[in-house]
């Protein structure tokens, strides 16, 4: 490898192209980094200082042709290099608006494009696929709203606004241009074409500060693919997968990249855990690399098949985690949404295998639905009897293997119920008696929390009580005995009202659903009954003939609701 000190002018002049390869992440510098770079440029502009050292660019020369460009793969420093090109483009456009067309053309033709080349060779910097079209629109000054949410385009808008506010005095724009091209010092480290660029890249990112686990997985898989196939496979398979996960990461653009990477990494983590191994999210890349390297020792190993498998399971994961956006079958969409509202994502480890069986037509839709119902019952019953959640990961990592060990191995639903029923101790599926006791006595409502799990429990009981569907979307949880006792309530509860209130306030028997939570509030019980009589919610018909609400009545209603719950979440 050769290292040399250089300026941006020397780096970009000539018929060159710096290619950001597949194994790099998309552009991800944020506003803080843009501001830091701009302040460095302004320090050079305002003061006669020594040239500013900006960092290193690690590249690898790759064979070109006599009539073509001199291509370089950017192994490290792509964020820095891309940002500098964006600033040049913003300055070019600023100069055009100020009618300094000659200088604008100089910047464009010398430092942004290879004037006489065509297609992708036209650009001196060619970003990775996810940023490529947005970058091209910036260089060609073709403002397109479709790129507004791309971080690379936001960077361009940031520097464009900074230049506009700076509004250089006559002749001062040349000073800024020279600072940009001459006084920012880079160290260009170049390796020859014989070295493995991924290994160099990996060694430069051993601390994992720049790349996510998902980035590293993508990088390694694509470096394993034959070079002539990478572009097509990326466009046909990987790019659609990334796009689908990015659609699910509905946050602000810069945070969206972090959320997308987290979702994709989680999908890989669950894929690894589905066969019974405990893998932390920090070990995802390391474990996939280990497995691929081990499989490569087999003569029949095909990296494309493994990539297909990885993508398929990532798509199953999307359906489980974001069913409203990803799952096409309404029955499954409803079941998966319920699991998510219960905050029961751990079972996704097991359900990935079940989803594959379903996709391979080894499992009927009816059995699939009953399997999910069975898991929901297992979780709901455990949540009412204070079974530990810490062991669920290990349970669901091994559950698929456990049911396949059963003699009737072709009947997944039957085997699942048998295995769950056979679990003992901390792993057990609580009995009806245990479940009933928890339904009556357990505090299930938590103050200042969303309590969506509790709402789902009440909604489900409501649906069992009536054939007439009530829209529960805008209903909220109501405490019949209020969270703050008035004198009237204290009289009704009796001398032991403080203990009764503490013991029974947040239990199932004292909770219902209403669309008039503020109206009911802490009113006396007779007023609540009058309002609840007019409710369309079947849960509230229970109160129509009640004259008193105390410990005995709460416990009585809890037993009534428990009868229904035991039928719904059967064992």
């Amino acid at each position: 490898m050769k290292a040399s000190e250089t300026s941006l002018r020397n780096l970009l002049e000539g018929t060159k192209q710096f290619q950001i390869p597949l194994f790099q992440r998309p552009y991800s510098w944020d506003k803080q980094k843009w501001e830091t770079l701009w302040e460095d440029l302004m320090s050079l502009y305002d003061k006669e200082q020594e040239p500013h050292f900006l960092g290193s660019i690690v590249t690898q020369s790759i064979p070109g042709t006599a009539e073509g460009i001199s291509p370089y793969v950017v192994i490290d420093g792509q964020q820095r290099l891309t940002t500098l090109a964006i600033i040049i483009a913003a300055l070019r456009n600023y100069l055009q608006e100020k009618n300094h067309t000659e200088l604008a053309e100089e910047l464009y033709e010398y430092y942004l494009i290879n004037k006489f080349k065509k297609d992708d060779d036209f650009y001196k910097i060619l970003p990775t696929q996810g940023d490529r079209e947005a970058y091209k629109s910036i260089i060609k000054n073709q403002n397109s709203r479709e790129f507004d949410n791309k971080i690379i385009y936001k960077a361009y808008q940031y520097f464009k606004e900074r230049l506009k506010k700076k509004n250089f005095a006559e002749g001062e724009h040349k000073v800024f241009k020279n600072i940009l091209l001459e006084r920012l010092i880079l160290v260009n480290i170049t390796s020859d074409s014989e070295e493995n660029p991924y290994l160099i890249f990996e060694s430069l990112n051993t601390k994992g500060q720049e790349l996510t686990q998902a980035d590293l997985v993508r990088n390694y898989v694509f470096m394993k693919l034959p070079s002539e196939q990478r572009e097509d496979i990326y466009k046909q398979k990987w790019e659609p997968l990334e796009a689908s996960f990015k659609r699910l990461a509905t946050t602000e653009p810069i945070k969206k990249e972090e959320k997308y990477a987290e979702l994709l990494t989680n999908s890989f983590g669950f894929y690894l855990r589905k066969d019974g191994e405990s893998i932390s999210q920090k070990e995802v890349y390391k474990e996939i690399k280990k497995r691929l390297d081990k499989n490569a020792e087999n003569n029949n190993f095909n990296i494309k098949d493994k990539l297909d498998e990885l993508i398929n399971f990532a798509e199953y994961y999307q359906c489980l985690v974001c069913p409203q956006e990803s799952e096409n079958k309404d029955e499954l969409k409803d079941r998966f949404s319920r699991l998510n509202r219960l905050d029961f994502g751990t079972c996704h480890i097991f359900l990935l295998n079940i989803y594959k069986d379903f996709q391979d037509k080894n499992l009927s839709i009816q059995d699939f639905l009953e399997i999910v119902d069975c898991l929901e019952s297992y979780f709901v019953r455990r949540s009412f009897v204070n079974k530990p959640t810490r062991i669920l990961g290990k349970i669901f990592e091994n559950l698929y293997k456990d049911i396949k060990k059963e003699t009737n191995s072709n009947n997944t639903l039957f085997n699942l119920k048998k295995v769950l029923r056979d679990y003992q101790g901390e792993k057990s599926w609580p009995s009806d008696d245990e479940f009933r006791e928890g339904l009556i006595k357990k505090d299930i409502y938590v103050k200042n929390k969303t309590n969506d799990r509790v709402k789902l429990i009440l909604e489900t009981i409501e649906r069992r009580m009536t054939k007439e569907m009530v829209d529960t979307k805008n209903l909220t949880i109501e405490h019949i005995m209020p969270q703050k006792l008035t004198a009237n309530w204290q009289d009704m509860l009796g001398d032991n009202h403080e203990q009764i209130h503490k013991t029974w306030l947040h239990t199932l028997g004292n909770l219902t659903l209403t669309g008039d939570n503020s109206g009911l509030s802490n009113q006396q019980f007779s007023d609540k009954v009058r309002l609840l009589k007019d409710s369309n919610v079947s849960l509230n018909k229970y109160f129509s003939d009640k004259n008193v609400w105390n410990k005995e009545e709460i416990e009585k209603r809890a037993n009534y609701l428990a009868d229904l719950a035991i039928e719904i979440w059967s064992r």
Side-chain angles (χ1 to χ4, degrees), residues 42 69 76 114 178 189 198 231 245 336 374 493 564 567:
M42 289 299 99
I69 57 172
D76 192 54
N114 295 310
N178 289 333
I189 304 170
Y198 181 75
E231 187 79 17
F245 271 92
F336 299 157
C374 186
L493 294 173
L564 296 169
E567 289 179 9

Side-chain angles (χ1 to χ4, degrees), residues 34 131 141 143 233 252 289 306 342 350 420 449 554:
W34 304 334
D131 290 325
N141 198 17
N143 296 330
I233 290 175
E252 59 188 86
K289 181 177 183 290
K306 294 305 292 184
L342 288 166
F350 168 74
L420 292 180
K449 297 284 186 181
I554 294 172

Side-chain angles (χ1 to χ4, degrees), residues 227-245:
S227 58
E228 67 277 7
Q229 297 178 15
R230 291 173 191 162
E231 187 79 17
D232 286 343
I233 290 175
Y234 179 85
K235 288 180 178 178
Q236 294 167 14
K237 297 183 178 182
W238 193 269
E239 189 173 40
L241 180 73
E242 285 191 337
S244 64
F245 271 92

Side-chain angles (χ1 to χ4, degrees), residues 206-237:
T206 52
K207 294 182 180 179
Q209 294 173 340
E210 290 298 325
L211 289 186
T212 67
Q213 293 289 303
D215 291 328
L216 290 166
V217 169
R218 178 197 62 228
N219 302 349
Y220 194 73
V221 169
F222 275 88
M223 287 306 297
K224 285 284 189 181
L225 288 166
S227 58
E228 67 277 7
Q229 297 178 15
R230 291 173 191 162
E231 187 79 17
D232 286 343
I233 290 175
Y234 179 85
K235 288 180 178 178
Q236 294 167 14
K237 297 183 178 182

Side-chain angles (χ1 to χ4, degrees), residues 318-327 329-345 348 351 372 376 452-453 456 459:
Q318 284 184 346
C319 292
L320 295 170
V321 174
C322 301
Q324 296 301 323
E325 297 81 4
S326 305
E327 177 54 58
K329 291 183 171 52
D330 289 339
E331 310 103 302
L332 289 174
K333 184 182 294 185
D334 177 64
R335 294 305 202 285
F336 299 157
S337 296
R338 289 176 63 85
L339 293 179
N340 291 337
R341 289 183 66 188
L342 288 166
D343 195 21
F344 187 26
H348 294 157
L351 284 177
V372 179
E376 182 179 315
D452 195 43
R453 182 187 294 178
L456 178 61
E459 287 175 7

Side-chain angles (χ1 to χ4, degrees), residues 552-570:
E552 290 72 27
E553 288 294 340
I554 294 172
E555 190 169 2
K556 183 179 176 181
R557 180 171 179 261
N559 267 293
Y560 166 69
L561 296 179
D563 288 339
L564 296 169
I566 288 167
E567 289 179 9
I568 295 166
W569 293 284
S570 61

